[in-house]
DNA sequence: GATGAATGAGTGTTCATTCAT
DNA sequence: CATGAATGAACACTCATTCAT
């Protein structure tokens, strides 16, 4: 009985995984708009109708892919999170974790970037996703209390602490491309820290 | 003869302008994906076929709108540009110009933001557009030579000097919205300057 | 052995009944066209595939439901049928039986009405069903012989004796709705009788 | 200029007419449910997309066909309507007009019959269509006042005066088919009159 | 130059039915 | 017997673009 059950589930999860990977791959290759249900199905090696066995509709397929990656990212970013370290060290750890994840999962990262700017971007429950990052927010608050970090609007802090990352990992293609070397990543963090520190 | 010719050209340009405004308006109202050729035509008060008199195809219509705004933006940003001022003052002037333009032309700005993340985003000739900002780049180079600005990869400087703007003008909708007050804009520049200054 | 067999049959018949009720309910709620196999299965609490254990295909499921109700209706209509009464009394009894059945089983009646106008309407074996009403036909024949009822084409008699019922139980929704009161039903029979009597 | 205009209009109306005829024909041949947009388009010799040049959606195409026929029918029914004749003669004229129209336009009539029982049946503005028959309703009211016609619920009168027609023109296919002869039609009217007269 | 009409190619989605278990 | 998974075929509809005028 259990064997039978497992067989079913395995097959199930294999298709789910195939659909997830196909979705990410296609969005990276041809963009969000061109990634139609039938193309995703073909990429995953299933019939378009099969997608509707696993997801209620296209939106659910895409949002589910987004949520999966976001959760994965949040876990990676908080890896080895140690509340007792100095604030600068905590933020640097988070910063490096983030870059490592992006470098190792550039397709996933490109996907969530594209997702955020797609028509589906506004359909995700932001509140529930951002809760994973509440610990980082607390570190910033502590830094402000301890007069280590500038006491300015939190959006402004975000703009200099996190947002540059999305630019540096997706720079406009110019003649001289940007190299995501260890050194550059460290340097960039120094600028971020200089921006927010008191 | 000339008068007749001019009348024609005027009519011409009126339609071009109508199409430009219709494009921007629609993209802002219903998004890039939903902005079809026929909807833009209807909004501009012309036939869909007329669009193909003025533009080779949809791509050209959208890219042209993007280029127009980019040019407009670059002019606004370089207003009162004075090479003789201290470097910090020059950059602050540019920064404030940028924010003022965005606040006064939020529709145009939203359009180029959406455009950059659309399938057409990669189809624009970046090189020719970025040339408008060559003066600013020169200021940065001078600052580096004078040991005023950190000598790091130029992409990193951009990431902290300009990119935070796009985040601050389009922050993810959270419970506490961000106010683009004069004070916040000045504060944000301070962070940008702290990031890049030596 | 017999007990075991009966248990199986019982379970069998429970599912058949569940499918029958689900079919009628759905058709009444969402209409014939929207009543898909999978929706009927869900309503009955079984898998879509199970339906094909009991019925060859969708058509058989629907035709079977139709036949069931038709049989039920014919029994109700012939209740207390007494050949010895005067012809008018016999027909009135049938008329009242019919209305009572409809009032008490409006869902069943609506189903056969919808069925008759569906693509499946022409797929039923009329001959075998109409045989239940042969006794009534005989009464009419007798009435004609006895010069009590007009000797006209039998379709014409039906048109005035039975068909008005389907109209009165499903009148087009107008401002003033029709009330199926005892009085109205009796009155309507008077008109029917006046139409066919010599 | 006028010639050009007319050429456009002619072509236009030819396609509209082709779509109307194709719709009626298909619904009569394969039924309402099976009459898909693409099949109607093929029957009319146009692309499915062309239908959407003339009608907002499928519903509009079908409702428009229904309304057209209903209007046509109402005109035919009221032909030579003469208020000064005896009430019986007026109603008989209407009755005969109706049958003649049905006989000559059996496809149109079948279409509106099917339409009424389709999912689109409830989407038409009944009130505005029934207004064509207000004159007939007035005749009935006059007959009641003059003690010529039974003073019963108006739905009951309709059930015996008009509804038998739909049965007689669409009798269930039995061994002995019903012949819509002049004689039968006159006979049927006699029954209708006997039903409603005082 | 300007346009309404027309369309092939595509969209997301549901369907009745079959298959493997 | 019972079923969840799977699918080819169809659905209504929209699109960017071309054509005849």
């Amino acid at each position: 009985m259990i064997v039978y059950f497992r067989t079913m589930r395995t097959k199930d999860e294999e298709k789910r995984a195939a659909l997830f990977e196909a979705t990410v791959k296609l969005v990276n290759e041809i963009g969000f708009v061109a990634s139609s249900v039938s193309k995703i199905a073909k990429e995953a090696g299933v019939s378009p109708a099969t997608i509707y066995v696993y997801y209620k509709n296209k939106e659910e397929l895409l949002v589910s892919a987004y949520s999966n990656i976001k959760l994965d990212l949040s876990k990676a970013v908080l890896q080895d999170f140690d509340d007792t370290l100095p604030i600068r060290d905590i933020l640097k750890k988070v910063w490096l974790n983030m870059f490592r994840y992006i470098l190792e999962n550039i397709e996933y990262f490109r996907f969530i970037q594209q997702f955020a700017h797609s028509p589906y971007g506004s359909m995700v429950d932001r509140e529930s996703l951002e809760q994973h990052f509440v610990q980082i927010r607390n570190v910033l608050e502590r830094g402000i209390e301890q007069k280590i970090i500038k006491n300015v609007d939190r959006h402004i802090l975000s703009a200099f602490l996190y947002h540059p990352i999305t630019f540096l990992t997706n720079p406009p293609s110019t003649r001289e491309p940007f190299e995501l070397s260890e050194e550059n990543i460290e340097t960039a963090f120094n600028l971020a820290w200089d921006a927010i520190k008191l």
Side-chain angles (χ1 to χ4, degrees), chain A:
Chain A
M1 192 63 176
I2 287 168
V3 173
Y4 171 92
F5 181 69
R6 274 199 186 144
T7 309
M8 297 282 290
R9 296 273 298 179
T10 302
K11 230 186 176 178
D12 205 8
E13 292 313 317
E14 262 170 29
K15 282 240 166 76
R16 266 208 136 80
L19 283 168
F20 170 73
E21 292 297 343
T23 302
V24 173
K25 188 171 174 229
L26 259 191
V27 166
N28 271 281
E29 278 174 4
I30 65 177
F32 230 92
V33 178
S35 295
S36 68
V37 168
S38 51
K39 284 180 194 154
I40 293 171
K42 182 176 279 182
E43 177 73 33
V46 300
S47 157
T50 302
I51 287 183
Y52 292 86
V53 175
Y54 292 88
Y55 303 95
K56 211 182 65 198
N57 50 32
K58 190 188 181 186
E59 179 185 334
E60 210 183 270
L61 166 67
L62 296 172
V63 169
S64 134
Y66 175 76
S67 302
N68 278 350
I69 298 178
K70 264 278 176 162
L71 186 62
D72 199 33
L73 170 64
S74 74
K75 277 183 197 152
V77 162
L78 293 175
Q79 206 173 40
D80 302 324
F81 185 86
D82 183 354
D83 229 346
T84 63
L85 293 177
I87 283 172
R88 189 179 190 277
D89 293 351
I90 296 175
L91 293 178
K92 186 169 182 183
K93 180 80 193 165
V94 167
W95 177 278
L96 295 176
N97 279 344
M98 183 103 172
F99 265 104
R100 189 170 17 82
Y101 181 86
I102 293 171
L103 283 173
E104 290 170 2
N105 305 276
I106 186 63
E107 285 218 330
Y108 291 175
F109 187 68
R110 292 249 163 84
F111 177 87
I112 58 174
Q113 295 267 95
Q114 286 219 42
F115 182 91
H117 291 94
S118 81
Y120 300 100
S122 54
M123 291 167 180
V124 79
D125 181 10
R126 234 169 254 278
E127 220 58 57
S128 74
L129 281 171
E130 301 300 326
Q131 74 184 18
H132 299 299
F133 300 97
V134 71
Q135 293 177 76
I136 301 171
R137 213 151 57 207
N138 287 342
V139 173
L140 286 178
E141 296 301 331
R142 195 144 47 85
I144 291 169
E145 274 170 38
Q146 298 173 12
K147 314 278 187 194
I148 296 173
I149 291 175
K150 294 186 178 107
N151 185 11
V152 300
D153 188 295
R154 305 314 181 250
H155 290 93
I156 296 180
L157 292 182
S158 286
F160 287 90
L161 189 51
Y162 306 125
H163 207 59
I165 296 177
T166 73
F167 178 78
L168 290 173
T169 52
N170 252 331
S173 51
T174 49
R175 262 167 311 187
E176 333 134 33
F178 177 63
E179 192 203 354
L180 273 176
S181 63
E182 293 263 330
E183 198 193 330
N184 270 335
I185 292 170
E186 286 239 18
T187 301
F189 176 74
N190 287 337
L191 270 76
W193 179 253
D194 286 349
I196 66 170
K197 79 148 192 268
L198 239 185

